[in-house]
Amino acid sequence: MPATHSETEKLSNAFEIKSGPVNLPLLKLLSTDVGAISAQLRQKIRQAPDFFRNAPMAIDVHSIAEAAGEIDFIALVRIMRDFGLTPVGLCGGHERHNQAAQVVGLSVLSLARHETPPPQAQPAETPKPKTPPEEMRSKIIEHPVRSGQRIYVAGGDLVVMSQVSAGAEIMADGNIHVYGTLRGRALAGVQGNLNCRIFCHDLQAELVSVGGHYKISENIDDSLRGVPVQIFLQDQSLIIKRL
Amino acid sequence: MARIIVVTSGKGGVGKTTTSAALAMGLALKGHRTAVIDFDVGLRNLDLIMGCERRVVYDFVNVINGEATLNQALIKDKRCDKLFILPASQTRDKESLTVEGVGKVLEDLSKDFEYIVCDSPAGIEKGATLAMYYADDAIVVTNPEVSSVRDSDRMLGILSSKSRRAELGDEPIKEYLLLTRYCPQRVKLGEMLSVEDVQDILSLHLLGVIPESKAVLTASNAGIPVILDDKSDAGQAFSDVVRRYLGEHVTHRFIELEKKGLFNRLFGG
């Protein structure tokens, strides 16, 4: 490394910019008819409402020819939001689409497999649209989470005021707090956030995981069972510490 | 409006039908008009336990399909005129049950009865989910062993998410725990989960503990709900359960090992 570190090392890093693979469902448009899209989307979501709840989704207009009519992005975004989806961006669009999409606050995404990246759209994409402060995404559950139940909180913390039974699964993009006995599985930072933690009042879990690093029941020390603990990542390893 | 009670468990063989029969009989003996429905279409058992198997003409599925009226299908109990049995069909399967069909039958019964006891089949498939769908109260029958406890826990999850009350956002189903086939001796030896162990896992309101008892099998074979055998421990325990369900305060029995008297100790018991 050249000796340019004098300045950078003075400050402890407040952030890093990294490129990471993120799985994003694509809404691949085959038609520009927003009414038809709306009707079919409604049906699709009815089949799996939990799966789609608050799901981020990008609009893929790859298959729409440039000559095809305008896409009413304002209406489309509103429909998606009404259905509980979070439209985040546009990909595969022509210049005309990209401009229209940016007007409604969609960022222009490039797909990895895209052969010809849109020429000058790239730099323009970075200024994130000014969205109003997100409403609280965290969730508080006051009833027991029973065997076979799954709870996932996208983009926030999960607080369970009761017990989590064996065979139940609780997940959050953020932290997890359990104020009863945790017997099931708890996965914090499921989108890869390594700074998330799990806090629980009585640890008897089948599995705990932070940002994909997990420990199964067998590997949890007996002295940490049945006591209040916090679970976090330190140097790539999962630490369970008594509170 | 009738109160609809589902007797459920997830796991099979834990005592749902025995409980349904005893509970329905107990409520009827207390003077409440009660109907008990067998939801185990294809594996009809309740009629045997109630001792009315030779009087079955029409069944639950016939009523749902409009092939018979409720009055034709309901069998009046010979021992208690407040109790009626709606048997399951033995020749069909659970697919014959529909949400609308079951809803209609329960609605019609509600006009005439104070309590409707739904005897759920084992499992978490259609028969079981329909038995609990319209319930106001759920009695979760559990044996003191780990697999039964876990299945009950699963069932409780389904009760709180897939019932009509859950779908409408109404006040949730009232859930009660009934621990059956309990054996204090084996608990003491560490061979069986204790009441506390089960309560710790399920955290439910305990409606009662039914001791393991020879009287249950005898009563089933004779077609007499065990609650009528008031000399037996199981019969008394079920009577307590009915009184507790109706809001009386009754101290729990049959949980502790009974102390042997001097006589028993001298001459072996």
Side-chain angles (χ1 to χ4, degrees):
Chain A
M1 279 269 157
T4 53
H5 57 241
S6 52
E7 246 194 55
T8 42
E9 293 232 326
K10 257 186 267 170
L11 304 158
S12 61
N13 289 343
F15 63 83
E16 290 176 354
I17 293 181
K18 283 187 165 179
S19 84
V22 177
N23 264 330
L24 203 59
L26 296 177
L27 180 69
K28 189 165 182 180
L29 297 191
L30 304 173
S31 152
T32 56
D33 179 359
V34 176
I37 295 169
S38 168
Q40 289 172 26
L41 197 57
R42 180 191 304 277
Q43 261 189 353
K44 200 76 183 167
I45 288 174
R46 196 175 292 154
Q47 290 165 8
D50 285 339
F51 179 80
F52 287 106
R53 194 164 295 142
N54 297 328
M57 195 174 268
I59 302 164
D60 182 358
V61 291
H62 233 102
S63 308
I64 306 290
E66 191 167 14
E70 291 291 334
I71 303 172
D72 186 355
F73 283 107
I74 298 174
L76 184 60
V77 164
R78 198 180 54 231
I79 286 163
M80 290 174 76
R81 287 196 195 278
D82 284 351
F83 286 143
L85 299 168
T86 309
V88 293
L90 178 82
C91 59
H94 299 281
E95 189 51 36
R96 186 161 52 87
H97 294 142
N98 292 345
Q99 281 171 5
Q102 279 172 343
V103 170
V104 295
L106 290 171
S107 46
V108 176
L109 308 169
S110 61
L111 285 181
R113 57 184 154 85
H114 227 259
E115 284 135 39
T116 48
Q120 50 88 266
Q122 287 296 62
E125 112 189 40
T126 0
K128 279 271 174 193
K130 288 173 254 95
T131 39
E134 282 287 334
E135 80 245 59
M136 285 289 288
R137 290 274 186 74
S138 296
K139 198 168 179 181
I140 299 177
I141 306 278
E142 305 207 41
H143 54 78
V145 185
R146 301 287 185 182
S147 186
Q149 292 186 314
R150 291 180 87 192
I151 293 178
Y152 172 52
V153 179
D157 292 358
L158 171 59
V159 180
V160 180
M161 303 300 296
S162 185
Q163 60 177 12
V164 178
S165 295
E169 201 167 82
I170 53 172
M171 296 175 287
D173 289 348
N175 305 304
I176 290 180
H177 303 251
V178 179
Y179 292 98
T181 306
L182 171 60
R183 294 193 178 86
R185 297 168 164 231
L187 297 91
V190 289
Q191 299 282 359
N193 186 342
L194 304 181
N195 295 319
C196 290
R197 295 185 182 206
I198 299 171
F199 303 86
C200 79
H201 185 67
D202 180 350
L203 177 70
Q204 300 181 26
E206 292 170 339
L207 179 147
V208 288
S209 159
V210 173
H213 297 256
Y214 68 89
K215 247 186 193 169
I216 53 170
S217 176
E218 207 173 62
N219 300 335
I220 296 175
D221 197 278
D222 277 344
S223 66
L224 296 166
R225 301 190 134 264
V227 296
V229 296
Q230 64 159 323
I231 300 162
F232 54 95
L233 268 182
Q234 200 171 57
D235 303 329
Q236 302 282 311
S237 64
L238 199 66
I239 310 287
I240 303 179
K241 199 171 164 194
R242 213 181 153 135
L243 282 174
Chain B
M1 273 306 279
R3 194 93 189 148
I4 300 173
I5 309 165
V6 62
V7 177
T8 187
S9 70
K11 193 168 161 62
V14 295
K16 285 182 294 297
T17 303
T18 301
T19 302
S20 300
L23 176 70
M25 179 60 87
L27 290 168
L29 288 174
K30 289 273 182 192
H32 303 287
R33 270 180 73 83
T34 304
V36 55
I37 308 177
D38 190 349
F39 271 78
D40 207 346
V41 176
L43 291 167
R44 184 171 87 200
N45 279 162
L46 181 69
D47 54 327
L48 290 170
I49 309 293
M50 297 297 300
C52 66
E53 73 277 10
R54 295 195 297 173
R55 294 197 286 143
V56 176
V57 184
Y58 294 109
D59 57 53
F60 192 18
V61 174
N62 291 138
V63 179
I64 287 178
N65 292 345
E67 296 151 5
T69 65
L70 255 179
N71 285 334
Q72 287 174 304
L74 283 171
I75 303 171
K76 189 175 186 174
D77 191 86
K78 283 187 171 166
R79 294 150 296 206
C80 179
D81 63 359
K82 301 255 190 242
L83 179 60
F84 290 80
I85 299 115
L86 184 55
S89 173
Q90 185 70 344
T91 52
R92 316 288 181 94
D93 59 32
K94 312 271 191 289
E95 293 309 307
S96 319
L97 300 176
T98 58
V99 178
E100 300 77 26
V102 171
K104 179 78 173 57
V105 171
L106 290 174
E107 194 187 320
D108 291 348
L109 282 173
S110 286
K111 293 172 191 150
D112 249 358
F113 289 91
E114 289 171 73
Y115 291 101
I116 302 169
V117 178
C118 301
D119 181 22
S120 171
I124 52 172
E125 280 75 42
K126 201 170 182 187
T129 48
L130 278 178
M132 65 90 196
Y133 185 73
Y134 292 98
D136 300 306
D137 298 323
I139 296 181
V140 180
V141 182
T142 306
N143 286 169
E145 48 105 8
V146 285
S147 59
S148 174
V149 173
R150 178 171 296 185
D151 289 0
S152 293
D153 195 55
R154 177 84 171 97
M155 204 63 222
L156 286 162
I158 294 172
L159 282 168
S160 64
S161 58
K162 301 229 171 90
S163 64
R164 185 177 57 164
R165 281 172 174 266
E167 283 175 9
L168 297 177
D170 288 351
E171 189 188 329
I173 295 177
K174 258 200 199 141
E175 302 157 341
Y176 301 95
L177 173 65
L178 183 68
L179 205 53
T180 55
R181 312 196 68 166
Y182 196 73
C183 189
Q185 289 91 335
R186 300 193 62 190
V187 171
K188 203 177 172 204
L189 293 171
E191 295 172 354
M192 193 179 258
L193 297 179
S194 69
V195 178
E196 293 78 34
D197 293 337
V198 177
Q199 278 289 66
D200 188 38
I201 298 172
L202 294 179
S203 30
L204 272 192
H205 179 74
L206 182 68
L207 192 59
V209 175
I210 311 297
E212 173 79 61
S213 168
K214 287 181 182 151
V216 174
L217 185 59
T218 314
S220 296
N221 288 337
I224 303 165
V226 69
I227 197 167
L228 293 174
D229 182 358
D230 53 13
K231 299 275 186 302
S232 70
D233 47 0
Q236 293 173 17
F238 272 119
S239 295
D240 288 0
V241 164
V242 171
R243 289 169 60 200
R244 270 186 218 112
Y245 175 77
L246 292 173
E248 276 183 62
H249 182 78
V250 186
T251 323
H252 286 284
R253 295 194 273 170
F254 312 110
I255 294 180
E256 299 297 329
L257 203 53
E258 272 180 55
K259 294 210 170 58
K260 281 188 179 174
L262 182 64
F263 185 84
N264 272 334
R265 242 185 282 168
L266 286 176
F267 299 100

